[in-house]
Amino acid sequence: MDLAYTEEEQDFRARLREWLLKALPELPARPSPDDWPGRRAYDLGWQRRLYEAGYAGLHWPLDAGGRGATPTQHLIFLEETERAGAPYVGANFVGLLHAGPTIAAEGTAGQRARWLPPVLRGDEVWCQGFSEPDAGSDLASLRTRAVRDGDDYVITGSKIWTSHAEVADWCELLVRTDPEAPKHRGISWLAMAMDAPGVTVRPLRTLAGSTEFAEVFLDEVRVPVGNRVGAENDGWRVTMVTLSFERGTAFVGEVVACRRTLGELARTARANGRWDDPALRRRLGRLYGEFGALWRLTQWNVSESERSGGVPGIGGSVFKLAYSHARQELYDVAAEVLGASSLSLDEEWVQSRLSSLSYTIAAGTSQIQRNIVAERILGLPKGR
C-alpha cells in the first residue's frame, strides 16, 4: 500500500477542507440526545448537504450512485470531517454502512435504483433486524419465520437490539424461510418497510440512557418477495457480506475520533498535573501506538476491500477485536485523567465510557471474532 499522497489527493483534501469551513457554521444546533425525531432530521440534513456537495457515498461504486472514489480519498474524507468536528453518520449508520453497501454488492439493478439513492440523499433511514432474544452471537439460530404466500412473505417473530428502529423507514431483516434446512442454509435477507401493518417497535433504554435500540415484534407482516436480496435461503452468505462491512469498514471514522480523543486526554493530563505520573504516560503512549496501528490496519482493510470488488475481507475481524478492547482502555484512561469529574453524568466522557463497554459485544462478540481469526485466518481446527 502506497501511503504517500498524490497531487490529486492533496487537492481533494484542500477542497474538502474549504467546503467544511463554509458548511459547518451553517448547521443548526445539535438536538438533545433523547430527541430521536430531532436527531433523525439533523443527521438527514447533514447527509443532504453531503449529497448536494458531491461527498455522499464517496467510496460507493458509480453504478450504486457513489463517486467511485479511491480508498485514499475515502480515508482523507474521514480524516478531514472528523478533524473539523463534522457530524458522523448518526441515524444513517445502518443505511450508509451496512444495508446500502450490501444492496450495492448483492442487489438487483432495480433494488439498487430503489433503495440506494434515498440513502445517499438523506431521505430514508434503515435499521438492522438481525439479533433475536435467543440468537445473538449464534445468529444462525434465529427463529423469525417467513412463509411464502404468493408474491409475499408472511413474517412472524421478534428482533432485539434493532438499531434506530424508532426512526427507521426500512429494516434489513433476517428471516428463516426453510425451517427444515440446516440452520445456516434456511435464511433469507429481506428489506422490510417499518410502517407495514403488524410491525411493533418498543424502545430499549441502554446503560448510557439512550434508546438507540429497540425490540421489534412482527405479527404476520407481509413483505414482497421482490424485497429479498439474494436468492431464497442464501441469506447467510448475504449476511456475511453485511457483517464484513460492519466489522471491516463501518468503524473507520471512529478510529479517527478515538485518536482525537487521545490527544485531548494528553492535553488535559498536562494541564491538570497528571502528566507527571510515568505509569499514566506509558499507558497513553501505548494507546497512541495502538490507535496508530489500527489506523494503518484500517487503511489496509479499505484498500483490500477495493481490490476485492468492494467487500471487506475477514481481516475486519482482526480490526474489530483489537479496536473494541483499545476503545475500552481509552475510556478507562479517560477516567484516570479526569479524576472525580469523570463521575458526573453530565460529562460527555462518561457517556462515551458507558458506550465503549458495548463494543466487545456489538457487531459480533470478541469471542466470535477470536474464533473467526483462529479458524479462517490461522487455519486452526474448530473448537468442540
Side-chain angles (χ1 to χ4, degrees), residues 168 294 384:
L294 280 168
R384 296 183 178 180

Side-chain angles (χ1 to χ4, degrees), residues 168-366:
D169 303 289
W170 291 92
C171 177
E172 51 173 3
L173 184 72
L174 296 186
V175 295
R176 187 160 298 285
T177 41
D178 185 354
E180 304 302 322
K183 65 179 184 179
H184 291 86
R185 298 180 183 175
I187 294 171
S188 296
W189 197 109
L190 306 179
M192 180 185 72
M194 289 298 288
D195 61 356
V199 177
T200 301
V201 176
R202 296 180 185 172
L204 293 169
R205 190 164 297 278
T206 69
L207 180 68
S210 172
T211 56
E212 63 193 81
F213 300 121
E215 292 179 285
V216 176
F217 298 91
L218 309 169
D219 184 11
E220 297 189 348
V221 179
R222 301 187 77 90
V223 173
V225 172
N227 287 18
R228 187 189 67 230
V229 176
E232 185 170 281
N233 299 326
D234 192 33
W236 187 253
R237 184 192 61 79
V238 179
T239 300
M240 292 303 100
V241 173
T242 304
L243 296 180
S244 293
F245 286 114
E246 184 177 31
R247 296 164 184 169
T249 54
F251 288 114
V252 292
E254 297 188 29
V255 175
V256 180
C258 285
R259 296 179 77 188
R260 185 188 66 181
T261 297
L262 188 59
E264 292 173 358
L265 282 176
R267 288 190 289 274
T268 300
R270 288 187 176 96
N272 66 15
R274 295 182 185 272
W275 190 255
D276 296 334
D277 183 349
L280 176 62
R281 291 201 305 273
R282 281 195 296 271
R283 290 187 73 185
L284 289 170
R286 185 166 56 79
L287 281 170
Y288 181 85
E290 281 198 42
F291 280 105
L294 280 168
W295 181 243
R296 292 305 187 212
L297 181 56
T298 293
Q299 292 175 309
W300 188 89
N301 281 337
V302 170
S303 299
E304 183 68 13
S305 70
E306 182 71 14
R307 287 192 292 269
S308 63
V311 179
I314 55 177
S317 289
V318 178
F319 169 84
K320 169 62 171 59
L321 179 61
Y323 171 70
S324 298
H325 293 272
R327 183 183 175 96
Q328 287 186 352
E329 186 174 357
L330 172 65
Y331 284 99
D332 281 342
V333 174
E336 187 175 343
V337 170
L338 294 170
S341 66
S342 70
L343 299 177
S344 170
L345 286 177
D346 294 330
E347 288 284 346
E348 182 180 348
W349 296 107
V350 175
Q351 299 300 317
S352 296
R353 170 63 180 128
L354 293 175
S355 175
S356 76
L357 297 175
S358 69
Y359 277 72
T360 50
I361 300 173
T365 66
S366 290

Side-chain angles (χ1 to χ4, degrees), residues 105-123:
E106 297 288 335
T108 65
Q111 290 171 339
R112 292 197 297 271
R114 166 59 187 91
W115 286 308
L116 299 184
V119 169
L120 293 179
R121 288 195 305 262
D123 292 340

